[in-house]
Every structure is written in C-alpha cells, then in structure tokens.
Amino acid sequence: MNKITRFLSLCCAVAVLAGISGAGVLSARASTDNGQPAETTAETAAETTEAPVKPAPTEFAHIYECAISGDQIVIDGQMEGSFSDSAYYDNYLYLFEQKPYQRDLKGRTDYAAWITKGDALHFSIPLNHGTQSDRLYSSFVVAVYDGEEYIQVSNEVYVTNPEVMAKYTEPYKTGQTKKGLLIQTTQTMIADAFELGVNHVIVNIPFSHILGSGIDYTYDGRTYHFSSDVLAVYDDTIRRMSEKNMTVTAVLLNDWNNATPQLYYPGVTRQPAGTANYYGFHVATEEGFETLKAIAAFLTERYSSLQSPYGRVSNWVIGNEINNQLWNYMGPMDLTNYVKTYEKAFRVCYTAIKSTNANDRVYLSLSYNWMNEMDGQLKYGGKEIIDSFNSIANNQGQMEWGLAYHPYPCPLIDPVFWDDAQATGLVKNDFNSPVINFANLNVLTDYFCQEALKTPSGHVRHIILTEQGFTAYSPTRGDVPELQAAAFAYSYYLVDSNPYIDAYTLSRQVDAPSEAKDGLKLGLWECDMSKPNLIEATKRRKIWQVFRDIDKKNSTLEASEFAKSLIGINKWSDVVPNFKWKNLEK
C-alpha cells in the first residue's frame, strides 16, 4: 500500500470512528455495489496522465422548499437541464449544509446527504436543534462531483418555517389604536405616558450594553453572559409598558464597544462621529454568527410573554435606517453586497426570534430617502434596499419580514409637510419619488400592495412607523407650537385611515437638549436646557393635548379643529383618503 492509499484509508477510518455517515473524503467518486458513492484509489486515478478540460455542469437543481418537519429538515426541488457528461462527473447529487459565514464549497467534502441522479430531488436530514450541530440557521445547496471538487448546481435555500420550533405561541399583541410615543423612562414621564393613552412604545437595545455578567444563557451548547444590571432596567421598563397594555417594539442596535469586536464586520474599525453612529450586524465570521443568534434568542425568550416577569416585546427592528450607513456602518460597499450582508444577519435574527416566539414580527428600518441621497457606497435608496432584499429572499426562502419606516417632514427643521412637494421638488406621487413622507405616504403602501412584495401567504407586509416627529421651532418661522400640533393631527389621521400601517410612534415625549440647541424641538414637552446631559421635562406644548385626544371618538375632531385653518382646509376628509371619522364631520 503506497503512502497516498494509506492516507486515504486513514481518512475513511477517522470518518467512521467519528460517526460521520455519508460524508465525503478527499477522493474521486465511483459506485459501490449498493449504489452509494465510494472512493477511487490513487492508482486508478493515476491511469490518466493528462486530464482533459472538464465541461461545466449542465444540470440545475431548483430547490423550492426547505422546511422543518418533526425533527427533520425536508428539502424538495426539481431538476432542470440534462445531467452532466458521465465521463467527467459521477452519478450522484450531493446536499451540502452551509453556515451563514461559509460562502462556497471550495475544499469541502463533508456533504450531508446524497441521491442518485434521476431520483426525485428530495432530501431529509436531522435538524439537530439545540445542539452545536444545529441546522436551523444553515442554508443548503446541491452539488455535483467532477472527480476533484464539488460544484454547486442549485440555488441556496434556508429553512422557511422556524416558527414551528417556538416555545412561545401566544397571539401577537395588537394595540388598541395606532398611537405610539418614544417615552422618557423616568417614573414621572411613564405616568405621563399612561395619561396620554399611549398604545405603542419604542425601546432601543444596543447590543454591546447588554453583554456583561450576572446572567448566564446557554444556546446551542454555548454559554453567553449578559449584564444583570443593564437588563434589570430594560425589564422594569418593558414590564411596566406591557402591564399597561402597550405593544412594545424593540430596536436592536450595534453601537461601538472595544470589548465586543466580534459584533463588527471584519475589517471595520471605530469611525469618527458623523461617519458611524451605529454599526451593521453581520454573520461573516463564526463568532459573529454565534453571538448574534444567541443574543437575539436570549432577548426574545426573556421578553416572550405577557405573563413573563420581564414583560413582552412583540416587534423587533433589526438596525436603524439601513439605507444610510451612518446608522448601519460596514464600510463602503456596492448595493448588492451591502444588502446581501445585511440580509444574512437579518435572517439569523429573524430565525432566532421566530423559533422562540412564533407570532413576533421582525422588521427592517428605512429613512424617508426612497430614491434620494444615494452614492452607491454608503448611501442607498430605500426602494433599492427593498427590491434587493426581497429578491434575495425570493431566491433563498421568503420570510414574513416587515418595514419600520421614518416619514419625517422634508426638511426636518420645518413641521409643515403638506407643502413639501412644492417647496422641495422631492416629494412626488410615483414609485420613484426621491422622498416618501407623510405628504405622499400612500405611495409607500401602494408600492407594498404589489403582488411581488406580498408575503408568501399573499398578504400585504406589515408596516409600522417607528420614528417621526415635528419640530416646534423653525429657523424661518420661529416658534411654531401650533403648527407642530397641526402637523401631528394631520399626519396621524393619514396613518389612522390607511389600512396598511399598523402603528405610528411619535418622536418624542420630551425635547432632547442635544437636539433642541440646534433648533430641533420635537417633544410634547419642553426640556430643561440648563441640564444638557439630562432629558428633563418642564412645560407641555399644544401638541400634548392633541396627542392625548387624537384617537378618541368623542374628542378627536374637537382636538384637531384648530388645525384646519392652519392647513387651509374645510374638512379633514378633503385631504385624508378614507378618513376614519368622516361620518362625524359636520
């Protein structure tokens, strides 16, 4: 036995001892008596002294289903094209599993299953959920073997029904109305939010803050450590919001922390202020993938139920305004690679969330720059992001993803949005509008009503408005609290009368000194400007009462009456399509 043959025999022995059934070894393929792929000896391979140029594979395996069934992952598809020349390719199709950080089959021999060419394109492999061999987050491809390497001949697919594994299945928490608010979480301001009748609330959760010590969490055989002190603050806030029947939306953010390098895309370093406020999630490395999925699963499990001692989160937003890398920095990338990178991380979070709590909803976030301020490297159009993201999901396995949108006035420093089309030229009534905000919000929902963007079950995707507000001060108009309140009333009616938007969360309850000093005064309350590092309420604005009463049948029209003359209308139904309270108008 020569050295090469002895080495191959040792490889086979190691594979058997390790319990690897059906895994490939570094050899060419032939067929045993039972039809299973078998190795070809080095002596046989050496008979050909000069290898001819191999033709490319001619078959394509179209995988159209990858789903969990019991404790198995079942993969089905159909073959297209003719089988490759048997003089160069063996008689089998091989199924490979890929972790999110694995990008190709180069050097791979560890196929998960195989079938004979001509058999139905069907595989069933163990899920291994809850172990270090968990396949819940993996993708799968079909390959052929040319005697030297495995070549992918299919689309890449992921599991599309992770919710069947969920421990928690209580129904989605639907708000009584669409009215929401970014709350300042002091005792006094939480009581104020209760008085205002808030139904939706936002909680921002930077990942680097919650890693620490005090709480140990084991996921897929690995243990992670979370800060009990930081989590106690979130627990208190989310529990109190849940107890008051609010629908809680958590925005997952990736701020910089030198102690958590695994959370940042490979090669990315800390950027100066104004270049990166937050950083993109990624699964490009094994450590990044393992950490991201564990954190997402931990948070979902912790805030899993109205009966949980920590409260219930129902909506999860993955990142912030991802069409601008200021809020999702990964370094200059073209649109395709940027969206691919984000989509992989999003899918990992989605899978972790849905496999823990089946009815939670998961969203990506966009600013109002629909087809505006694009440079193709750090800034992208929201429409481009949506189309690219949806195309990837169509090919690799659709998800029930939704959109968290921010339709601020354009520009932010003026609360009057109803003249944005004339004043800026950026707001248009078509799908290629540079900006989509409250002035043309119907364009956004019309776009999502297209068949190509609907969910696999045929429904229009969920849209929530998670950040928008109106300043009470304008550089050109001065102090304008009445216009601020009028803008909120008008915008809320537009949302409340649009059946495709589920929630409207106003930013913010109290002015932030850091914003107010620059003239951006978005709060229902003024703040104490003598305390620049605190957000402390001092005085209510006109918008406070309008916000309180806007969703109450008996007082909404009275609360908004003042706004009509400021906007220049006689009836709300003249400017609000399908106005919800039309039957109450005089």
Side-chain angles (χ1 to χ4, degrees), residues 105-373:
L105 301 181
K106 187 174 182 179
R108 296 276 302 275
T109 61
D110 55 334
Y111 55 86
W114 59 272
I115 58 173
T116 302
K117 291 179 179 179
D119 290 349
L121 189 63
H122 171 86
F123 300 95
S124 182
I125 59 175
L127 174 60
N128 299 329
H129 188 46
T131 73
Q132 290 188 354
S133 301
D134 196 345
R135 287 171 163 149
L136 179 63
Y137 297 87
S138 298
S139 64
F140 300 90
V141 298
V142 174
V144 294
Y145 186 68
D146 69 355
E148 295 180 350
E149 62 180 347
Y150 294 90
I151 302 170
Q152 181 178 334
V153 292
S154 78
N155 53 317
E156 178 184 14
V157 294
Y158 290 82
V159 168
T160 56
N161 63 337
E163 64 276 3
V164 302
M165 304 304 298
K167 176 181 177 181
Y168 303 99
T169 58
E170 72 180 38
Y172 176 80
K173 174 66 182 70
T174 302
Q176 293 179 332
T177 73
K178 299 181 182 183
K179 186 173 71 178
L181 184 63
L182 178 60
I183 294 173
Q184 191 62 30
T185 56
T186 63
Q187 188 70 37
T188 300
M189 298 319 295
I190 288 177
D192 180 67
F194 297 158
E195 184 179 354
L196 287 164
V198 173
N199 282 280
H200 298 267
V201 63
I202 298 288
V203 177
N204 293 321
I205 305 180
F207 270 23
S208 67
H209 291 188
I210 62 175
L211 296 175
S213 61
I215 300 173
D216 296 335
Y217 177 75
T218 300
Y219 189 77
D220 279 356
R222 301 189 185 197
T223 300
Y224 302 83
H225 310 285
F226 295 89
S227 170
S228 55
D229 292 338
V230 172
L231 266 299
V233 177
Y234 284 111
D235 295 346
D236 181 64
T237 299
I238 294 171
R239 183 184 66 253
R240 284 194 284 173
M241 301 301 102
S242 299
E243 289 172 350
K244 289 296 183 178
N245 210 29
M246 296 182 187
T247 300
V248 181
T249 296
V251 181
L252 305 185
L253 300 167
N254 197 20
D255 59 335
W256 189 267
N257 186 329
N258 290 332
T260 57
Q262 72 273 23
L263 293 178
Y264 311 110
Y265 190 76
V268 167
T269 57
R270 186 168 192 170
Q271 300 298 303
T275 300
N277 293 337
Y278 292 105
Y279 296 78
F281 297 117
H282 79 92
V283 291
T285 65
E286 181 176 2
E287 190 176 11
F289 159 64
E290 295 288 351
T291 304
L292 180 63
K293 71 173 182 178
I295 296 176
F298 167 77
L299 290 171
T300 312
E301 184 169 342
R302 191 170 187 84
Y303 305 115
S304 58
S305 169
L306 292 174
Q307 285 70 50
S308 166
Y310 313 115
R312 167 81 187 272
V313 171
S314 298
N315 298 320
W316 303 87
V317 181
I318 313 304
N320 179 62
E321 296 190 357
I322 65 166
N323 47 330
N324 186 341
Q325 284 206 40
L326 174 65
W327 304 102
N328 196 65
Y329 188 81
M330 289 188 283
M333 289 186 189
D334 63 77
L335 173 75
T336 299
N337 285 320
Y338 178 72
V339 178
K340 282 182 178 178
T341 302
Y342 173 80
E343 191 271 348
K344 284 189 175 296
F346 180 97
R347 189 182 289 273
V348 166
C349 291
Y350 176 92
T351 300
I353 291 164
K354 297 292 283 187
S355 64
T356 304
N357 200 327
N359 294 312
D360 283 3
R361 296 175 183 171
V362 191
Y363 304 81
L364 58 88
S365 168
L366 295 178
S367 75
Y368 67 25
N369 281 314
W370 187 244
M371 289 293 287
N372 188 46
E373 296 187 2

Side-chain angles (χ1 to χ4, degrees), residues 557-570:
L557 292 183
E558 180 181 352
S560 64
E561 179 65 26
F562 78 98
K564 293 192 291 187
S565 61
L566 295 174
I567 298 168
I569 61 174
N570 294 316

Side-chain angles (χ1 to χ4, degrees), residues 43-152:
E43 288 87 351
T44 303
E47 291 176 3
T48 303
T49 57
E50 184 176 342
V53 176
K54 298 184 181 70
T58 55
E59 63 265 83
F60 179 76
H62 179 89
I63 303 174
Y64 53 75
E65 184 172 9
C66 179
I68 298 168
S69 178
D71 61 355
Q72 299 284 303
I73 295 177
V74 176
I75 297 166
D76 286 299
Q78 63 183 25
M79 296 303 301
E80 299 173 2
S82 58
F83 289 120
S84 297
D85 191 336
S86 60
Y88 302 97
Y89 294 88
D90 70 13
N91 196 39
Y92 305 98
L93 297 171
Y94 302 88
L95 181 73
F96 277 84
E97 172 193 1
Q98 293 191 129
K99 300 296 185 183
Y101 49 85
Q102 294 176 313
R103 298 311 332 125
D104 56 50
L105 301 181
K106 187 174 182 179
R108 296 276 302 275
T109 61
D110 55 334
Y111 55 86
W114 59 272
I115 58 173
T116 302
K117 291 179 179 179
D119 290 349
L121 189 63
H122 171 86
F123 300 95
S124 182
I125 59 175
L127 174 60
N128 299 329
H129 188 46
T131 73
Q132 290 188 354
S133 301
D134 196 345
R135 287 171 163 149
L136 179 63
Y137 297 87
S138 298
S139 64
F140 300 90
V141 298
V142 174
V144 294
Y145 186 68
D146 69 355
E148 295 180 350
E149 62 180 347
Y150 294 90
I151 302 170
Q152 181 178 334

